[in-house]
Amino acid sequence: MGQVARRFVLLFCVVTIGPSYAAEAQAPVNAAAAAMAAFQKRVDAYLQVRSAIAHKLPEVKETGDPAKISNREKVLGQAIAMARASAKAGDVFGEMAPYLHNILAKDWASRSPAEQKALFAELPAGVQLKVNQPYPTTIPLVNAPANLLAQLPTLPEALEYRLVNRRLLLRDRDANVIVDVLTGTPPNK
């Protein structure tokens, strides 16, 4: 084999084998970190949609009129729901779901029976918790317990977690709309 042919073979090997070898030599991706990054990206995307909608709506100046505040909340929530008409449960939580289930299961196991009962009261008949629906005014705004919140991914101020009847909700505070629902949280029935 001539010198030109050897160089061609060597160049061929570097071009075809080198990239795959280099990819294998890289450190493996941390699946939890990748899921967290993807979750944060989806939260940011939601906030961009929300911000674009909110900027189109008139601001409520300081007022003592709760009807004006409630009306803006309702209009913002409806506009967000329309913009996200195809959204479904799990769209924002995404790959974080198994990690969130694990966090919730450990938290559940650490609670006394009285705490468990208080956390998972039954919903009134006919109340549904679905993406793009307003958070029902017929049930209390049940916060996730502080020690549980400390384990969950940090959210921007506009969003919050709610734990209702075996569901972890992602709720938009100003629009009072359910952004995402994680179902099947402990105790699994």
Side-chain angles (χ1 to χ4, degrees):
M1 188 187 297
Q3 191 170 7
V4 174
R6 278 191 212 121
R7 284 186 182 171
F8 177 76
V9 171
L10 180 60
L11 180 61
F12 177 78
C13 289
V14 168
V15 171
T16 58
I17 299 172
S20 63
Y21 179 76
E24 290 174 8
Q26 292 177 349
V29 175
N30 179 329
M36 175 66 85
F39 172 70
Q40 292 297 339
K41 191 174 184 177
R42 287 187 297 274
V43 166
D44 290 344
Y46 169 79
L47 291 175
Q48 287 177 350
V49 169
R50 178 193 191 277
S51 178
I53 292 168
H55 280 56
K56 293 177 185 176
L57 300 177
E59 286 291 324
V60 175
K61 304 290 182 195
E62 286 198 32
T63 180
D65 186 357
K68 288 182 181 179
I69 296 168
S70 177
N71 186 52
R72 184 171 195 285
E73 175 185 282
K74 182 186 277 185
V75 169
L76 179 60
Q78 289 170 343
I80 289 170
M82 285 177 52
R84 301 178 67 234
S86 63
K88 59 188 180 312
D91 281 353
V92 177
F93 287 129
E95 300 88 1
M96 280 301 295
Y99 300 101
L100 295 171
H101 280 289
N102 188 36
I103 290 168
L104 292 164
K106 287 179 182 176
D107 179 75
W108 179 258
S110 73
R111 298 193 174 278
S112 71
E115 288 176 309
Q116 291 174 355
K117 183 178 179 184
L119 281 174
F120 292 105
E122 291 299 317
L123 286 174
V127 173
Q128 295 183 351
L129 300 172
K130 292 183 179 179
V131 173
N132 285 338
Q133 290 186 332
Y135 186 90
T137 57
T138 56
I139 61 174
L141 283 172
V142 181
N143 282 326
N147 56 346
L148 175 58
L149 282 176
Q151 298 173 58
L152 296 173
T154 304
L155 294 173
E157 190 174 315
L159 299 174
E160 64 186 359
Y161 294 109
R162 294 290 172 180
L163 194 57
V164 181
N165 196 35
R166 299 182 339 141
R167 291 175 184 88
L168 180 67
L169 307 178
L170 190 58
R171 177 183 171 264
D172 187 309
R173 292 177 190 218
D174 295 334
N176 190 41
V177 69
I178 298 172
V179 176
D180 204 355
V181 179
L182 180 70
T183 58
T185 58
N188 294 323
K189 289 186 179 179

